[in-house]
Amino acid sequence: MKLNAHEIEEAAKELVYEESTDSLNGLLLHGQVCDFEFPAAAEVRLDYYRAGQELFFQGHIAGDVVGHCARCLEEYTFDLGKDFFLVLVPKSELPADVELSGDELDLSFYDGDQIDLSPLIREQIILALPTRPLCRDDCKGLCPTCGANLNTQACACTASSGDSRLAVLRNLKVGS
Ligand SMILES: [Zn+2]
Ligand SMILES: [Zn+2]
């Protein structure tokens, strides 16, 4: 999504558009497995306005994300709900006294008249993703012995895992 800086006025204007997530799908490859995938474009809703040479973009990104759980390997879908507040200043005017507060406020630079929002929005999407995909905080994962998904079933190995070494000893005694 591109905007012309000279058309951005002090009075806020609203912009709603769909940001393609195609390039993100390739980015998030983690070895062989993609941690996160985007089945569709993200919906971006924002207000934009200027104060002098500084341009402000404040809004929200929504859209489905498919995560691949790092523990149980199941797919799960969640909504990417990300608020953002971007401030763009001209590259020629490096501000010495800009106060940054909170992590919702991000300062970037623009050069010339054309503002390309897409890379900034994609960066916000990446920032919104959890560091590790988990279908739920208490996901029990897979049994290391039989591979059963312990969220949905209790396998025999879990039931006897406490005394598996004793079982080996018992078998030895039987054998001797
Ligand atoms: Zn899981
Ligand atoms: Zn098992």
Side-chain angles (χ1 to χ4, degrees):
M1 173 54 65
K2 289 180 173 137
L3 295 170
N4 292 318
H6 75 269
E7 287 169 3
I8 299 175
E9 297 166 3
E10 281 181 19
K13 288 185 210 159
E14 197 188 22
L15 174 66
V16 179
Y17 76 98
E18 294 208 328
E19 183 65 65
S20 166
T21 49
D22 290 349
S23 60
L24 292 177
N25 282 323
L27 257 186
L28 295 167
L29 274 172
H30 185 244
Q32 297 278 306
V33 190
C34 215
D35 284 349
F36 301 100
E37 285 177 274
F38 299 87
E43 189 187 274
V44 183
R45 215 169 251 283
L46 62 97
D47 288 329
Y48 63 98
Y49 52 92
R50 72 159 64 235
Q53 291 298 303
E54 294 176 14
L55 309 177
F56 298 83
F57 304 86
Q58 184 169 17
H60 185 81
I61 309 169
D64 280 346
V65 187
V66 176
H68 294 254
C69 181
R71 285 188 201 148
C72 71
L73 311 179
E74 292 289 320
E75 283 190 358
Y76 65 104
T77 304
F78 62 99
D79 180 57
L80 177 103
K82 171 74 171 132
D83 290 323
F84 63 90
F85 188 8
L86 302 168
V87 182
L88 267 67
V89 298
K91 214 165 197 166
S92 49
E93 277 183 35
L94 285 169
D97 57 347
V98 175
E99 277 204 18
L100 293 178
S101 56
D103 46 19
E104 296 301 322
L105 184 68
D106 278 300
L107 189 67
S108 302
F109 302 102
Y110 69 95
D111 203 3
D113 190 50
Q114 200 172 66
I115 312 290
D116 189 0
L117 281 181
S118 294
L120 300 169
I121 294 298
R122 285 198 291 265
E123 190 185 347
Q124 291 298 312
I125 293 174
I126 300 280
L127 289 172
L129 297 172
T131 48
R132 193 162 177 242
L134 288 179
C135 64
R136 57 188 211 214
D137 285 344
D138 61 348
C139 171
K140 296 192 184 82
L142 301 177
C143 169
T145 311
C146 72
N149 184 340
L150 300 176
N151 295 312
T152 54
Q153 61 185 110
C155 63
C157 343
T158 356
S160 61
S161 64
D163 52 69
S164 59
R165 271 168 297 179
L166 288 177
V168 171
L169 286 177
R170 244 180 271 130
N171 288 341
L172 283 176
K173 272 178 198 159
V174 171
S176 62

